[in-house]
């Protein structure tokens, strides 16, 4: 089908909530997230002639979102000062004492949604995206593997490591914020 | 006793078959699974209230309509033509048969044409991205460093023109063209900034028109204009080098001269 059928809005724009959520997970609640969503839909519109109707539009849009986001990250790098996407971790959570280990959902509830999203934003890029697609968007491992362009096994290990990393960071924040002291 | 692996935990989280017998007997694995589920659930809850403003959707609709206008497509508030077409098709069987005979080749033509035009739109988008205010991108760059970076990322070094006579290579970037990684670099010229984008598609694939032959130019050059940009392409080895510049500053002939210089200055490695 061609992009001039007028049905792009009917088919693709219905996923704006999904695309926006993932964009916020990647960029935080910011103008950057809005820009990423806009660019994703504009690119999708330009390529709509290549989209096979009846196939998974959500995965198709998320693939474009991921590629657009990767392109942006690459643009932000100074040539000659290239940093691997995998290595671009803002900071590492420190070691956490045994007595602040997170062992119940009760402690997780003490963090605001915004704090959880901020903690997620500090994970390595591809780990963050994988976690978003699996845990937040509830996509299948196969769909995520296709979107990210890796093997299913890689998706499993990334999401597992990502969840562990997020948990460790939250434990670390809990300690800093005094959320655990004496209440265990 | 072997505990469940991360992979097995992930399969259980996805509701796939896994070693549930071990899980039912192992307290450690039960606790580990409970923690993973708690993190996943909390993460999902954190995004429940994340929703776009209505203004974002309106902005996107506006930009899409603007793009339609650039493409010369009708911006219609009515039903899509496809639906209207279906109504007509049911009017008489004979009309449907005639329409069918005409519609199939037309749809193939439109689909191929749309895909080719989409290629031009992507070239313009890459150029626009190169022009966006990423100051780091436009900082002084060593052509050898750029070439090494592109080779490392793309697996080959694109041909580049020699600097001098007002030409300076300002930076490069990696982008996606039709979902494939592609390279481009930016050349500053006395007339304006030009992006050279290297893609595997042929100029015909991108719906470009052959330029008239010019004396002294051994290669065939192709040209096109899309939105606010002129573009000229030339095939070199397995790749097409597309020069893209603003219509108001860069003519097709100027782009052809630059690409011709590219051919005479360097050979791709």
């Amino acid at each position: 089908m061609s992009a001039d059928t007028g049905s792009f809005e009917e088919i693709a724009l219905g996923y704006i909530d999904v695309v926006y959520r993932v964009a916020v997970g990647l960029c935080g609640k910011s103008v950057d997230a809005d820009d990423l969503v806009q660019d994703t839909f504009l690119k999708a519109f330009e390529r709509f002639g290549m989209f096979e109707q009846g196939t998974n539009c959500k995965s198709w849009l998320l693939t474009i979102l991921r590629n657009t986001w990767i392109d942006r990250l690459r643009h932000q790098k100074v040539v000659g000062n290239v940093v691997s996407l995998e290595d671009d971790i803002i900071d590492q959570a420190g070691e956490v004492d045994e007595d602040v280990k997170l062992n119940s959902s009760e402690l997780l509830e003490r963090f605001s949604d915004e704090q959880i999203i901020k903690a997620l934003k500090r994970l390595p890029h591809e780990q963050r995206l994988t976690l978003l697609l699996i845990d937040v968007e509830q996509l299948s491992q196969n769909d995520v593997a296709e979107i990210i362009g890796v093997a299913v096994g890689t998706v499993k290990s990334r999401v597992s490591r990502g969840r562990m990393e997020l948990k460790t960071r939250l434990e670390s924040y809990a300690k800093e914020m005094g959320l655990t002291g004496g209440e265990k | 006793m072997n505990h469940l692996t991360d992979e097995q935990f992930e399969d259980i989280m996805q509701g796939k078959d896994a070693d549930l017998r071990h899980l039912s007997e192992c307290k450690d694995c039960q606790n580990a699974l409970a923690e993973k589920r708690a993190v996943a659930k909390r993460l999902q809850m954190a995004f429940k209230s994340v929703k776009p403003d209505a203004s974002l959707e309106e902005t996107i609709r506006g930009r899409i309509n603007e793009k339609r206008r650039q493409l010369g497509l009708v911006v219609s508030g009515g039903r899509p033509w496809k639906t209207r077409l279906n109504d007509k098709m049911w009017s008489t069987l004979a009309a449907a048969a005639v329409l069918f005979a005409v519609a199939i080749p037309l749809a193939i033509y439109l689909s191929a044409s749309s895909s080719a035009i989409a290629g031009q739109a992507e070239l313009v988008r890459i150029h626009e991205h190169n022009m966006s205010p990423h100051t780091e991108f436009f900082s002084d760059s060593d052509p050898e460093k750029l070439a090494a970076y592109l080779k490392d990322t793309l697996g080959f070094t694109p041909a580049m023109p020699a600097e001098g006579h007002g030409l300076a290579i300002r930076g490069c970037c990696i982008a996606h063209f039709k979902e494939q990684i592609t390279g481009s670099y930016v050349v500053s010229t006395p007339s304006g900034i030009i992006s050279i984008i290297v893609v595997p598609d042929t100029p015909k694939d991108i719906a470009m028109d052959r330029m008239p032959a010019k004396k002294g130019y051994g290669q065939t050059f192709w040209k096109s204009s899309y939105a606010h940009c002129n573009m000229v392409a030339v095939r070199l080895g397995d790749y097409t080098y597309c020069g893209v510049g603003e219509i108001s500053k860069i003519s097709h002939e100027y782009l052809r001269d630059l690409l011709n210089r590219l051919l005479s200055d360097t050979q791709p490695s």
Side-chain angles (χ1 to χ4, degrees):
Chain A
M1 76 186 296
S2 68
D4 60 344
T5 61
S7 56
F8 173 80
E9 283 89 336
E10 295 163 26
I11 295 171
L13 267 184
Y15 293 102
I16 191 170
D17 285 6
V18 175
V19 172
Y20 181 74
R21 265 197 308 271
V22 176
V24 167
L26 298 176
C27 307
K29 278 186 184 174
S30 63
V31 177
D32 284 350
D34 284 5
D35 286 349
L36 182 57
V37 174
Q38 286 187 36
D39 286 354
T40 297
F41 278 105
L42 272 183
K43 280 188 180 180
F45 174 71
E46 288 168 355
R47 296 168 198 180
F48 199 49
M50 290 178 262
F51 173 68
E52 202 177 321
Q53 204 166 5
T55 58
N56 192 336
C57 185
K58 183 159 79 169
S59 290
W60 179 67
L61 285 168
L62 291 172
T63 304
I64 295 174
L65 172 82
R66 187 248 177 194
N67 289 343
T68 307
W69 175 59
I70 295 282
D71 288 346
R72 283 174 169 229
L73 293 176
R74 290 189 195 279
H75 269 88
Q76 286 162 8
K77 293 178 194 308
V78 182
V79 174
N81 184 24
V82 179
V83 182
S84 157
L85 292 181
E86 292 295 332
D87 295 340
D88 193 9
I89 303 170
I90 297 171
D91 58 19
Q92 295 281 358
E95 290 294 312
V96 180
D97 295 340
E98 276 302 309
D99 66 346
V100 291
K101 282 283 185 196
L102 201 63
N103 55 12
S104 73
S105 57
E106 194 182 320
L107 186 57
L108 283 166
E109 294 305 325
R110 298 187 184 189
F111 289 98
S112 68
D113 290 349
E114 204 165 318
Q115 285 170 324
I116 299 275
I117 292 172
K118 272 186 181 167
L120 176 73
K121 195 165 174 272
R122 289 179 177 259
L123 298 188
H125 297 131
E126 294 288 14
Q127 218 174 63
R128 191 189 330 158
L129 177 61
T130 312
L131 203 49
L132 274 166
L133 297 180
I134 293 281
D135 280 355
V136 179
E137 297 308 326
Q138 305 275 295
L139 297 186
S140 73
Q141 292 160 347
N142 287 338
D143 282 349
V144 175
E146 205 167 302
I147 290 167
I148 299 179
V150 296
V152 172
T154 307
V155 171
K156 290 180 189 178
S157 59
R158 273 189 192 164
V159 75
S160 181
R161 281 203 308 268
R163 224 182 272 121
M164 185 65 71
E165 179 75 18
L166 181 65
K167 181 171 157 284
T168 306
R169 284 178 189 280
L170 290 172
E171 284 168 349
S172 179
Y173 297 154
K175 188 182 174 190
E176 286 170 22
M177 294 159 62
L179 292 178
T180 56
E183 292 186 22
K184 265 188 70 74
Chain B
M1 178 166 62
N2 289 328
H3 291 297
L4 295 177
T5 63
D6 284 345
E7 200 155 307
Q8 287 172 314
F9 275 122
E10 291 311 316
D11 284 343
I12 292 171
M13 300 271 288
Q14 288 249 322
K16 290 182 182 174
D17 290 340
D19 187 1
L20 296 176
R21 195 170 56 85
H22 169 81
L23 186 65
S24 66
E25 296 166 355
C26 178
K27 198 74 186 163
D28 287 345
C29 286
Q30 286 171 17
N31 288 339
L33 181 63
E35 286 200 343
K36 286 172 190 288
R37 282 188 167 144
V39 175
K41 188 181 168 195
R42 182 66 189 92
L43 192 56
Q44 195 185 13
M45 289 303 295
F47 282 86
K48 281 272 186 218
S49 60
V50 174
K51 292 194 188 304
D53 290 341
S55 62
L56 180 62
E57 185 171 338
E58 283 310 304
T59 304
I60 292 168
R61 285 179 185 275
R63 289 185 68 183
I64 287 169
N65 280 335
E66 179 60 34
K67 197 59 102 177
R68 279 201 177 95
R69 274 187 281 273
Q70 286 175 3
L71 285 165
L73 303 173
V74 176
V75 179
S76 166
R79 283 187 300 161
W81 68 266
K82 197 174 177 185
T83 312
R84 296 197 299 270
L85 191 63
N86 284 339
D87 295 343
K88 289 178 182 174
M89 281 174 73
W90 287 112
S91 63
T92 68
L93 190 60
V98 171
L99 196 59
F100 186 74
V102 174
I104 294 293
L106 186 64
I108 292 169
Y109 170 78
L110 283 176
S111 174
S113 172
S114 169
S115 171
I117 296 295
Q120 291 185 18
E122 286 200 55
L123 290 175
V124 170
R125 176 177 292 282
I126 292 171
H127 174 67
E128 284 172 347
H129 217 143
N130 288 348
M131 297 298 103
S132 62
H134 298 291
T135 51
E136 303 96 336
F137 180 77
F138 290 108
S139 61
D140 287 338
S141 300
D142 178 351
E144 282 184 20
K145 253 184 178 177
L146 295 178
Y149 173 71
L150 287 171
K151 184 170 188 177
D152 188 44
T153 316
L154 300 174
F156 71 99
T157 306
M160 290 184 181
E163 294 191 294
H165 305 291
L167 283 188
I169 300 174
R170 301 290 296 274
C172 66
C173 74
I174 304 298
H176 283 86
F177 179 80
K178 296 184 179 177
E179 302 310 323
Q180 300 289 318
I181 282 186
T182 191
S184 76
Y185 56 88
V186 172
V187 182
S188 169
T189 76
S191 296
I193 302 286
I194 292 170
S195 290
I196 305 288
I197 304 161
V198 189
V199 299
D201 299 52
T202 66
K204 269 191 176 176
D205 292 339
I206 322 170
M208 289 190 162
D209 301 319
R210 184 191 289 260
M211 291 179 82
K214 186 179 176 184
K215 199 176 176 184
Y217 284 48
Q219 293 279 336
T220 303
F221 291 87
W222 304 75
K223 70 173 181 177
S224 184
S225 298
Y226 180 88
H228 55 94
C229 288
N230 277 331
M231 52 191 95
V232 170
V234 63
R235 192 76 179 164
L236 185 55
D238 293 331
Y239 297 93
T240 297
Y241 287 67
C242 306
V244 184
E246 303 286 319
I247 286 176
S248 59
K249 297 174 184 169
I250 309 287
S251 66
H252 285 128
E253 289 67 30
Y254 194 86
L255 286 168
R256 178 169 60 180
D257 289 345
L258 176 73
L259 288 175
N260 191 57
R261 181 169 171 178
L262 176 85
L263 295 172
S264 58
D265 284 346
T266 59
Q267 290 298 315
S269 55

